[in-house]
Amino acid sequence: MSFSANLQHLRATRSMTQEQLAMLLGVSRQAVSKWESDAAYPEMDKLLRLCDIFECSLDDLARGDLTHRPNEPALAVAAGPATDICDYDRHMRARAAIVATAISCALLGIAGFCGTGGIAIYGIESQYIMWPYVFLLAGILPACALLIFAQSAHRSFTRRHPFVENFYSENDKTRARKRKGATWAAAVVIAVVGAAICWFQTIPLQHLYGGLASLNIALACAAWPVVYASIRASSVNVASYNRRMEERAAWQDFEARRLSLIAHPNHTIGTRQELPPSADEKQRCRTAPSDDTDEPRSTDSTLVVYETEDRCALDTGAAQCEHQAGAESLYHHIQEKRRAAAGVIMTLSAIVALVMLFALRNPNWMLALIIGALACVIAWIAMPFIGRSRQ
């Protein structure tokens, strides 16, 4: 019996949907569908997890016949409304709050830059010339740190939960949309008030930098609820989240194959990921010699033919899984090298920019960051070829 038939039957004995099994395994629903249609094979850690869920051995799951196992009502998934077993809502709330805080911090840093810029003009320049950049960095650096933390936490969550069951009700989605509209209306009012204050300080009081500072403070106050409500309104659309995860998985698979062809031009890693055993392979399995004789196996015995054919399919699937794992391992290795190179380049460019700004008082300190960003792009593109040249 094939692995796919065993998996379908075991899932049916628990009254479990493909979505629920996908959430338990931390994979997408599309992956479970491919396993059950013999289009792909799970990795070893997923196979072991399946054995734990359905309380069977690995040999029985892969080669045995579990289609005669009776239904297990006591272990069946209870019917009822979907629940948030992945803590999706809590994660999205925290992510929305962190991103909103980061944007507000950046705007407050710009406000401090504008406000102290006015002091530098009207005061003693030699004493106050560095304060605008201090306030700007005091807002920009925490904002960047918060955004990096939010992105890292979200990437970790999506890696562990590529599929989430839609547990939001229509009332929840309606409230999220109404809250988003209300916050946008309030943000427009705050922005208009900030623009009026900016005009009053700029025209009647002749203080341009003070007006710009007031405007950015108003924008910071308006940005937090708008960004938070917008992310929350987007997060309740769980179907969009699952679709993005499936598209990302497909793109990563394509990228893994492309990188494997760049790094190993003479290999065909992952090119047969979803191909079932061909007719020639099955015929070779049918006529393969037995373990204790040199004679071909008899094709008259239907049982022997089917057993050998299933073993051939399993061996071919194992080879496909090994090829796919090799491509994915190469992809993750190159991605790690890319991130490490980008981190080193941007750290060095930031140090150079700070030295140029505070020590050398060079007005062209932004060029260091621009050159660092261009170097990151070049390193990102060239990394697969560098790995190939070293082999």
Side-chain angles (χ1 to χ4, degrees):
M1 188 58 63
S2 65
F3 164 77
S4 60
N6 288 332
L7 181 59
Q8 292 182 43
H9 179 76
L10 291 174
R11 185 172 58 80
T13 60
R14 302 288 181 89
S15 301
M16 186 184 299
T17 64
Q18 289 184 346
E19 290 83 357
Q20 292 168 340
L21 181 58
M23 285 190 296
L24 291 176
L25 295 173
V27 298
S28 64
R29 183 204 58 80
Q30 190 178 26
V32 177
S33 177
K34 287 183 178 180
W35 298 346
E36 294 187 353
S37 61
D38 271 335
Y41 295 87
E43 299 175 354
M44 181 56 66
D45 59 333
K46 301 299 186 298
L47 285 171
L48 296 177
R49 178 61 178 157
L50 285 171
C51 294
D52 293 337
I53 292 174
F54 295 113
E55 299 179 354
C56 63
S57 65
L58 182 59
D59 187 66
D60 290 338
L61 179 63
R63 299 177 182 270
D65 184 6
L66 300 176
T67 58
H68 301 296
R69 177 181 287 191
N71 293 338
E72 300 173 313
L75 300 176
V77 177
T83 57
D84 185 14
I85 63 176
C86 301
D87 281 340
Y88 173 84
D89 186 74
R90 182 183 61 82
H91 166 73
M92 286 300 179
R93 287 180 184 274
R95 178 171 180 259
I98 293 174
V99 173
T101 303
I103 294 176
S104 296
C105 283
L107 291 172
L108 289 176
I110 297 174
F113 175 80
C114 294
T116 52
I119 296 175
I121 287 180
Y122 295 109
I124 304 174
E125 276 196 43
S126 61
Q127 183 178 357
Y128 296 102
I129 190 63
M130 302 306 299
W131 281 108
Y133 300 105
V134 172
F135 277 95
L136 180 62
L137 293 176
I140 296 297
L141 293 181
C144 293
L146 289 173
L147 289 176
I148 292 173
F149 174 77
Q151 182 63 21
S152 176
H154 186 63
R155 185 185 296 112
S156 176
F157 180 86
T158 55
R159 190 182 298 113
R160 288 182 288 108
H161 306 288
F163 180 84
V164 176
E165 193 173 10
N166 189 2
F167 60 91
Y168 290 109
S169 64
E170 290 300 324
N171 292 333
D172 296 333
K173 298 177 181 179
T174 303
R175 283 196 299 269
R177 288 193 295 267
K178 290 182 178 179
R179 191 180 300 113
K180 177 182 176 182
T183 54
W184 272 100
V188 170
V189 174
I190 296 174
V192 169
V193 172
I197 296 174
C198 177
W199 174 86
F200 181 77
Q201 288 183 291
T202 303
I203 304 301
L205 300 181
Q206 297 294 314
H207 197 288
L208 175 62
Y209 284 91
L212 293 176
S214 300
L215 178 61
N216 279 280
I217 291 174
L219 292 178
C221 295
W224 200 98
V226 165
V227 174
Y228 181 84
S230 299
I231 295 179
R232 288 294 300 148
S234 175
S235 64
V236 297
N237 189 1
V238 181
S240 177
Y241 171 87
N242 293 329
R243 184 169 59 253
R244 290 196 304 270
M245 293 303 103
E246 291 184 358
E247 292 174 355
R248 178 191 294 181
W251 179 85
Q252 288 182 352
D253 180 66
F254 170 78
E255 184 71 5
R257 296 184 184 188
R258 187 183 69 84
L259 293 176
S260 66
L261 291 177
I262 292 175
H264 306 283
N266 297 325
H267 295 175
T268 57
I269 296 178
T271 55
R272 297 190 58 197
Q273 176 190 358
E274 298 180 1
L275 295 179
S278 63
D280 294 337
E281 290 172 338
K282 292 182 178 180
Q283 182 63 29
R284 285 196 299 269
C285 288
R286 289 191 183 97
T287 59
S290 59
D291 296 335
D292 52 353
T293 63
D294 294 333
E295 297 296 328
R297 291 190 180 217
S298 174
T299 58
D300 296 335
S301 174
T302 305
L303 180 60
V304 173
V305 170
Y306 283 152
E307 285 181 353
T308 313
E309 187 171 310
D310 289 341
R311 187 176 297 107
C312 178
L314 185 62
D315 293 340
T316 306
Q320 294 171 5
C321 184
E322 182 180 356
H323 288 201
Q324 180 185 359
E328 291 179 353
S329 176
L330 176 64
Y331 168 75
H332 290 300
H333 178 65
I334 293 179
Q335 289 295 93
E336 290 177 359
K337 291 170 62 178
R338 282 172 165 174
R339 286 192 287 267
V344 171
I345 292 172
M346 290 309 299
T347 300
L348 293 177
S349 62
I351 293 173
V352 173
L354 292 175
V355 170
M356 292 174 63
L357 174 62
F358 292 104
L360 304 178
R361 304 291 180 89
N362 193 324
N364 298 321
W365 59 275
M366 286 292 295
L367 289 177
L369 298 178
I370 296 174
I371 294 173
L374 293 176
C376 286
V377 174
I378 295 173
W380 191 274
I381 297 173
M383 196 60 67
F385 299 95
I386 295 175
R388 172 183 171 181
S389 63
R390 290 180 178 178
Q391 292 179 351

